[in-house]
């Protein structure tokens, strides 16, 4: 309440820039934050591509009061100085000079992440270079779980798969442990590395307490085969990622509220802040969906349009409303069935084919991949209405491009395969469809389009079929 580093002070009618506005971002280690968005994808990849005969164990070690453990030298501390408010005019003026990294400073995250990333690197280097590590007072808490007690005591001459990620102040450990001995060594490496970079009070003389809370460690730090990590529940036996049912239901209700709000409102709009909040939650949900991004295209366009006009509201058109209802349906499917990690990682195609479109029509071929398939050839002539609306040199005022027809051809190619093989032959399988139109390939590669209304619709339809 007292210290706000985004606050502008006014002196003699002149508005002075805030601390955040005058900060030189180029001096902060921004690279320390580059990998935050890759934490969950790397966990998914590890679970999807490893030996399926052994379970994975997870742990999450949270750093307590992390920012306050980052010391600021005496010279730099003056950048954060502020005047302590007085209870009366007779009191002397007091300056507060913080000697720790400030919570409200815009450049605090990269400095803090540089420290936690360093702790991660120390842990990995330690576990790779050292066979025997001294015990740590907190290791017994993390090792006290049924999953650990079921492991054999010793194991030799075997490769261990382990991964240590850090997301701001959360250290996330993953290991395909084959013995208690190996798991304990990894546990000690994590704890010792944290304590080396963020020393305990017996070394610093601080009254803050140790960097890792025993209470929180006993709640979240135990090695388990099933654990919630950054909002997602991972299963190390089934190799799945899922959003908790209660979170799915809450998100579905938020979508319904947005749609109903716009229906009751004759102008059909909602505040842009509410829409941005909903957009962020849906963007988060795409993590466990191989086909989640196409469903964002229509919402991206609506948000982009509102921002370009600097409007305080987002218009909920029939197109946007339909996209939101699609999302509500997909969230229902997510809540009923966890996503297998191997569905989110490319593999060799089970079936493969080519498709091409022209002004006349569209056609394609299907043939075998890793699974045998008698060759299929199909073609379809476009209705005259579509041909007349195609943009060409002779018809520059059309509203359908050849790229959109090519994209629709890929969708039809998929529908042909759906009819040709059994549903179980497509479940958790990857297929390859080749197309020679660059825009269509780009849209499919990104599985997202915010510029073409028709492309966004096709991708949405494609996403729902693939999710089925």
């Amino acid at each position: 309440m007292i210290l706000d580093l985004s606050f502008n002070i006014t002196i003699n009618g002149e508005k002075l820039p805030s601390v955040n506005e005058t900060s030189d971002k180029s001096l902060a280690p921004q690279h320390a934050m580059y990998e935050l968005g890759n934490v969950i994808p790397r966990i998914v990849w590890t679970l999807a591509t490893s030996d399926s005969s052994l379970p994975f164990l997870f742990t999450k070690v949270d750093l307590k009061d992390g920012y306050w453990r980052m010391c600021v030298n005496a010279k730099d501390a003056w950048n954060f100085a502020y005047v302590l408010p007085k209870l009366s005019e007779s009191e002397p003026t007091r300056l507060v000079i913080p000697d720790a990294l400030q919570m409200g400073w815009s450049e605090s995250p990269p400095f803090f992440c540089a420290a936690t990333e360093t702790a991660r690197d120390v842990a990995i280097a330690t576990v790779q270079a050292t066979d025997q590590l001294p015990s740590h007072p907190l290791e017994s808490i993390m090792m006290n779980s049924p999953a650990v007690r079921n492991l054999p005591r010793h194991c030799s001459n075997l490769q261990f798969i382990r991964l240590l990620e850090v997301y701001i102040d959360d250290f996330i450990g993953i290991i395909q442990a084959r013995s208690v001995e190996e798991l304990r060594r990894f546990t000690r490496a994590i704890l010792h590395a944290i304590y080396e970079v963020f020393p305990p009070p017996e070394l610093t003389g601080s009254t803050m307490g140790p960097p890792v809370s025993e209470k929180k460690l006993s709640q979240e730090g135990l090695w388990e085969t099933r654990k919630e990590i950054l909002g997602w529940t991972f299963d190390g036996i089934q190799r799945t990622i899922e959003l908790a049912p209660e979170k799915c239901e809450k998100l579905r209700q938020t979508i319904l509220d947005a749609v109903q709000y716009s229906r009751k409102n004759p102008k059909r709009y909602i505040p842009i802040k509410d829409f941005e909040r909903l957009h962020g939650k849906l963007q988060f949900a795409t993590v466990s969906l191989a086909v989640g991004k196409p469903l964002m295209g229509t919402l991206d366009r609506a948000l982009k349009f509102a921002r370009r006009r600097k409007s305080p509201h987002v218009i909920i058109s029939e197109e946007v409303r339909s996209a939101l209802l699609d999302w509500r349906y997909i969230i229902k499917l997510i809540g009923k069935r966890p996503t297998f990690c191997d569905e989110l990682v490319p593999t060799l195609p089970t079936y493969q084919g080519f498709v091409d479109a022209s002004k006349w029509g569209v056609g394609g071929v299907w043939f075998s991949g890793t699974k045998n398939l008698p060759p299929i050839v199909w073609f379809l002539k476009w209705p005259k209405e579509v041909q007349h609306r195609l943009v060409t040199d002779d018809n520059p005022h059309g509203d359908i491009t050849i790229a959109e027809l090519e994209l629709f051809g890929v969708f039809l190619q998929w529908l042909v395969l759906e009819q040709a093989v059994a549903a179980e032959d497509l479940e958790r399988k990857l297929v390859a469809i080749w197309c020679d139109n660059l825009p269509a390939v780009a849209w499919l590669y990104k599985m997202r389009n915010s510029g073409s209304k028709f492309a966004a619709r096709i991708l949405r339809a494609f996403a729902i079929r693939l999710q089925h």
Side-chain angles (χ1 to χ4, degrees):
M1 293 169 63
I2 297 171
L3 176 60
D4 182 357
L5 298 178
S6 64
F7 183 72
N8 299 101
I9 301 172
T10 302
I11 299 178
N12 298 327
E14 181 185 358
K15 199 172 187 180
L16 302 180
S18 67
V19 173
N20 281 338
E21 289 172 339
T22 56
S23 295
D24 186 350
K25 295 184 183 298
S26 66
L27 299 178
Q30 303 292 341
H31 60 276
M33 301 178 64
Y34 290 168
E35 294 300 314
L36 294 182
N38 293 324
V39 171
I40 293 295
R42 270 199 292 267
I43 296 174
V44 168
W45 182 277
T46 302
L47 266 61
T49 58
S50 57
D51 181 3
S52 60
S53 63
L54 288 170
F56 273 95
L57 298 178
F58 308 95
T59 186
K60 188 174 70 171
V61 182
D62 180 63
L63 192 63
K64 181 183 176 184
D65 301 325
Y67 277 29
W68 301 115
R69 298 179 189 277
M70 297 284 289
C71 298
V72 177
N73 65 45
K75 178 183 176 183
D76 290 337
W78 284 89
N79 289 301
F80 305 118
Y82 62 93
V83 179
L84 191 68
K86 301 178 182 180
L87 290 176
S88 65
E89 287 297 324
S90 61
E91 287 188 9
T93 298
R94 291 185 174 89
L95 291 180
V96 178
I97 316 297
D99 58 3
L101 199 60
Q102 295 301 290
M103 296 288 285
W105 186 38
S106 60
E107 299 313 303
S108 284
F111 278 102
F112 180 65
C113 287
T116 53
E117 284 282 353
T118 299
R120 173 197 171 277
D121 293 343
V122 170
I124 293 299
T126 300
V127 78
Q128 289 176 344
T130 311
D131 291 331
Q132 297 295 327
L133 290 171
S135 62
H136 193 281
L138 300 181
E139 68 180 69
S140 58
I141 297 177
M142 296 174 65
M143 302 287 289
N144 185 26
S145 73
V148 175
R149 289 193 286 272
N150 291 333
L151 290 174
R153 302 302 301 176
H154 302 284
C155 194
S156 61
N157 299 324
L158 289 172
Q159 289 293 321
F160 297 96
I161 296 177
R162 54 182 168 243
L163 181 70
L164 180 60
E165 296 287 344
V166 60
Y167 190 92
I168 306 179
D169 61 349
D170 284 333
F171 290 84
I172 303 160
I174 305 162
I175 186 170
Q176 198 175 28
R178 308 191 198 200
S179 72
V180 173
E181 182 183 69
E182 179 65 21
L183 182 64
R184 181 175 287 110
R185 193 164 72 92
F186 191 34
T187 302
R188 289 176 178 178
I190 295 171
L191 291 172
H192 282 303
I194 293 174
Y195 272 63
E196 283 181 29
V197 177
F198 302 94
E202 51 265 30
L203 294 180
T204 62
S206 169
T207 59
M208 290 177 61
V212 177
S213 165
E214 290 189 29
K215 181 179 179 181
K216 200 162 185 180
L217 192 65
S218 63
Q219 295 171 344
E220 300 180 351
L222 274 66
W223 286 104
E224 297 170 307
T225 56
R226 185 176 174 86
K227 186 174 288 291
E228 182 174 321
I229 298 173
L230 304 181
W232 293 99
T233 301
F234 283 92
D235 191 311
I237 298 176
Q238 298 297 325
R239 311 295 177 88
T240 59
I241 176 175
E242 61 185 291
L243 203 56
E246 58 271 18
K247 290 183 179 180
C248 289
E249 192 53 42
K250 189 174 180 180
L251 185 51
R252 292 184 77 237
Q253 186 59 49
T254 302
I255 295 171
L256 185 61
D257 291 343
V259 174
Q260 289 179 338
Y261 178 82
S262 64
R263 246 183 171 177
K264 294 174 183 177
N265 189 323
K267 292 185 179 180
R268 287 192 174 182
Y269 62 77
I270 63 174
I272 191 170
K273 292 293 183 184
D274 292 346
F275 192 85
E276 286 175 336
R277 196 174 298 113
L278 175 58
H279 185 277
K281 291 178 179 178
L282 295 178
Q283 182 72 45
F284 176 77
T286 64
V287 169
S288 71
L289 286 169
V291 294
K293 291 180 180 179
L295 297 171
M296 297 300 296
T298 301
L299 307 184
D300 289 343
R301 288 197 304 118
L303 188 58
K304 182 179 177 181
F305 181 74
R307 286 172 174 169
R308 190 167 59 237
R309 296 178 60 200
K310 297 183 179 179
S311 171
H313 302 96
V314 173
I315 299 172
I316 305 297
S317 62
E318 281 302 317
E319 184 86 11
V320 174
R321 183 174 180 276
S322 177
L324 288 173
L325 291 177
D326 283 348
W327 257 115
R328 195 164 186 268
Y329 172 71
I330 290 292
I331 295 297
K332 182 180 180 180
L333 294 181
I334 293 176
K336 287 186 175 181
R337 172 189 177 276
T339 300
F340 289 89
C341 290
D342 59 10
E343 296 174 14
L344 306 174
V345 174
T347 57
L348 291 174
T350 306
Y351 308 109
Q352 47 196 342
F354 293 89
V355 64
D356 199 13
S358 67
K359 180 179 179 180
W360 179 87
V362 61
V365 295
W366 276 111
F367 48 93
S368 302
T370 58
K371 193 174 182 66
N372 187 53
L373 176 71
I376 299 170
V377 179
W378 68 274
F379 60 89
L380 173 73
K381 185 177 180 179
W382 297 126
K384 289 191 179 299
E385 179 193 356
V386 174
Q387 294 181 7
H388 292 157
R389 291 172 62 182
L390 180 64
V391 178
T392 63
D393 293 339
D394 299 330
N395 185 31
H397 301 296
D399 63 344
I400 299 176
T401 67
I402 189 64
E404 291 164 340
L405 288 184
E406 294 268 18
L407 179 65
F408 191 56
V410 177
F411 180 43
L412 292 176
Q413 173 86 342
W414 167 263
L415 295 181
V416 169
L417 184 65
E418 275 195 14
Q419 298 300 312
V421 301
E424 55 267 24
D425 289 332
L426 292 176
E427 186 176 359
R428 296 179 61 191
K429 300 294 191 297
L430 181 127
V431 301
I433 302 175
W434 280 275
C435 167
D436 65 359
N437 183 270
L438 190 57
V441 170
W443 292 336
L444 282 162
Y445 183 76
K446 297 176 182 177
M447 286 302 274
R448 196 161 185 169
N449 177 278
S450 60
S452 164
K453 178 173 66 174
F454 292 129
R457 287 179 181 175
I458 295 165
L459 288 172
R460 273 174 49 209
F462 209 163
I464 291 172
R465 292 310 309 159
L466 290 172
Q467 187 63 28
H468 270 294

